[in-house]
Amino acid sequence: AVLAANGITRAEFDMLSLLARSGRPMAPTELAAELLISGAGATKRLRKLTDAGLVRRETNPRDGRG
């Protein structure tokens, strides 16, 4: 009920929890692997969390694609 009241699904909460536990930036492919989801699934969750202002995506300085 608390998650729903804040517009967050359990899947999105799992991603936020993983990021909080890791304490470091993670690539979408790394998130997908850790959460056992597809890359598309990770991107969808990241997009919603970014739009909600809960995560920030940055360019990987070592890889212009990431």
Side-chain angles (χ1 to χ4, degrees):
V2 173
L3 295 176
N6 289 288
I8 298 172
T9 66
R10 177 61 193 219
E12 294 158 354
F13 178 76
D14 289 344
M15 185 171 280
L16 287 172
S17 296
L18 174 59
L19 287 165
R21 285 191 313 271
S22 75
R24 62 179 178 79
M26 297 178 75
T29 52
E30 188 178 8
L31 289 166
E34 290 287 330
L35 294 171
L36 303 174
I37 61 174
S38 69
T43 298
K44 181 180 176 181
R45 292 177 196 177
L46 282 170
R47 187 177 303 120
K48 186 169 179 209
L49 293 169
T50 301
D51 290 347
L54 297 171
V55 297
R56 183 180 66 232
R57 295 187 75 175
E58 298 177 351
T59 304
N60 183 340
R62 291 176 282 153
D63 180 0
R65 299 170 298 160

